[in-house]
Amino acid sequence: MTREANKPDLYKQAGVDVDKGDRLVEWLQGGGNQDGRTKYGSIVSGIGGFAALFRPNFAGLKDPLLVTSTDGVGTKVLLGIESHQLKGLGVDLVAMCVNDLYTVGGRPLFFLDYYATGTLDEDQFKDVLTGIKLGCKQSEALLLGGETAEMPGLYEKRHFDLAGFVVGVVDGANMLGAHNVKVGDVLLALPSSGFHSNGYSLVRRWVKEKRPSDGTMVKLMEPTRIYHELPQLVEKLGTSKLHAVANITGGGISGNLPRVMPADTACHINFAALPLPGWMRDFIEDHGSKARDLEAVFNLGCGMIAAVSKDSVDEVAKASAQLNLPVTVIGEVKSAKGDSSVVFH
């Protein structure tokens, strides 16, 4: 954007630097965006325009369905700012969106971000967008576009917020979900990389009350794991063996697992079998709490939980291990009455 020479930039005086925003868009465009293609389509036009175009290619899918998700990183952004650890937040943003797609067996096609701040800081922007590009690479999603908003007065200096949006595709003829789940199914936990991006209002309060070790701080800022292996598992095993997957986000296991279970079932879980990392247990107990009491806040080491047919457990575990995605048996699906629930033992 250009303006007439010697004219005062009143907008910049008000706190909005349009030229800086344009430079950062140019930086983002120059960083590459894979080759602009995925298995199911390609970019026609992307970053820089008013709208982006994507040409889908759904050949080979019997019943292609678009699947979408939107999410943010929440108050983990504040902890990232306070601890000067920002690059992982971009991965968090992508992960919180694409992981939801994986729960139906979908594959992400393209991703868009919304970055809002009081005063645009180039280093912050580049750190976050570098993480977003890394997350897109891990999930094989194309960064199709986004929006950067500079709003002085709405955000404090150096504060910003993030939102993400993803569109993917799933074959309706081979879709995960409650319709596949049967009584007797075995529940497998897929390990998390940490607290992911949930419960950080409580985490931040604890950090302020009692500063953890530097090693624990690094673990607290570990990016949310992207479970890009799941679409491969669905393709290899089929939904006759891998039935449903729950993304364990805010609300913990009891708040999320029933969302992919049919009525008249209960998920019976051995609490001691959860893959709870020692550092996570120590962090919780160091603040006078017990992991079991915070099940509805944190994932407790379970990033995802899958329901699989009883006679396929070994096959699923082997296939997962080959993709460097270990699983842990934590329970089973039993008959019950009413809405689906979770019972801990």
Side-chain angles (χ1 to χ4, degrees), residues 110-158:
F110 53 83
F111 183 85
L112 299 96
D113 70 279
Y114 179 76
Y115 180 102
T117 185
T119 301
L120 193 55
D121 183 289
E122 293 190 34
D123 291 335
Q124 284 185 329
F125 179 89
K126 289 180 178 179
D127 280 347
V128 172
L129 267 293
T130 295
I132 289 174
K133 290 194 288 185
L134 177 58
C136 286
K137 182 177 181 180
Q138 291 179 9
S139 61
E140 298 182 345
L142 299 173
L143 182 57
L144 194 61
E147 173 68 9
T148 302
E150 193 173 16
M151 296 180 283
L154 185 58
Y155 294 92
E156 295 180 18
K157 187 176 181 179
R158 293 189 62 79

Side-chain angles (χ1 to χ4, degrees), residues 26-217:
E26 291 174 0
W27 168 83
L28 187 58
Q29 289 172 317
N33 193 22
Q34 298 115 310
D35 61 0
R37 296 178 180 274
T38 71
K39 182 178 180 180
Y40 294 113
S42 59
I43 292 176
V44 176
S45 66
I47 297 169
F50 287 104
L53 299 173
F54 179 85
R55 178 174 287 115
N57 175 18
F58 297 151
L61 298 181
K62 295 180 180 178
D63 180 21
L65 302 173
L66 292 179
V67 53
T68 67
S69 178
T70 182
D71 210 334
V73 184
T75 53
K76 189 176 184 179
V77 168
L78 290 173
L79 190 60
I81 294 170
E82 292 158 0
S83 62
H84 307 289
Q85 298 182 62
L86 300 180
K87 290 184 179 179
L89 297 176
V91 179
D92 281 309
L93 184 64
V94 177
M96 293 300 289
C97 294
V98 300
N99 283 345
D100 282 347
L101 267 60
Y102 297 145
T103 65
V104 295
R107 284 181 177 271
L109 297 174
F110 53 83
F111 183 85
L112 299 96
D113 70 279
Y114 179 76
Y115 180 102
T117 185
T119 301
L120 193 55
D121 183 289
E122 293 190 34
D123 291 335
Q124 284 185 329
F125 179 89
K126 289 180 178 179
D127 280 347
V128 172
L129 267 293
T130 295
I132 289 174
K133 290 194 288 185
L134 177 58
C136 286
K137 182 177 181 180
Q138 291 179 9
S139 61
E140 298 182 345
L142 299 173
L143 182 57
L144 194 61
E147 173 68 9
T148 302
E150 193 173 16
M151 296 180 283
L154 185 58
Y155 294 92
E156 295 180 18
K157 187 176 181 179
R158 293 189 62 79
H159 279 201
F160 60 89
D161 198 10
L162 300 170
F165 314 87
V166 68
V167 174
V169 64
V170 63
D171 193 340
N174 196 33
M175 192 165 60
L176 299 174
H179 59 285
N180 298 318
V181 177
K182 298 177 177 60
V183 170
D185 278 2
V186 175
L187 299 171
L188 303 178
L190 284 60
S192 70
S193 57
F195 288 122
H196 284 180
S197 298
N198 303 105
Y200 275 80
S201 293
L202 178 56
V203 169
R204 286 185 64 243
R205 192 184 80 183
W206 281 350
V207 167
K208 289 181 178 180
E209 291 174 353
K210 182 180 180 182
R211 176 79 180 186
S213 67
D214 290 343
T216 298
M217 279 302 302

Side-chain angles (χ1 to χ4, degrees), residues 242-316:
L242 180 58
H243 291 165
V245 174
N247 187 11
I248 308 305
T249 55
I253 297 171
S254 59
N256 287 283
L257 189 52
R259 297 167 66 182
V260 298
M261 294 291 147
D264 297 328
T265 61
C267 298
H268 287 253
I269 292 177
N270 176 9
F271 192 88
L274 299 181
L276 176 64
W279 72 266
M280 187 182 288
R281 184 188 301 276
D282 291 344
F283 178 73
I284 292 171
E285 292 181 352
D286 281 349
H287 292 86
S289 298
K290 294 181 179 180
R292 191 159 188 148
D293 295 335
L294 291 168
E295 177 281 321
V297 178
F298 302 127
N299 63 51
L300 301 184
C302 302
M304 296 266 196
I305 296 178
V308 306
S309 63
K310 189 173 184 178
D311 57 0
S312 301
V313 174
D314 290 342
E315 184 179 356
V316 174

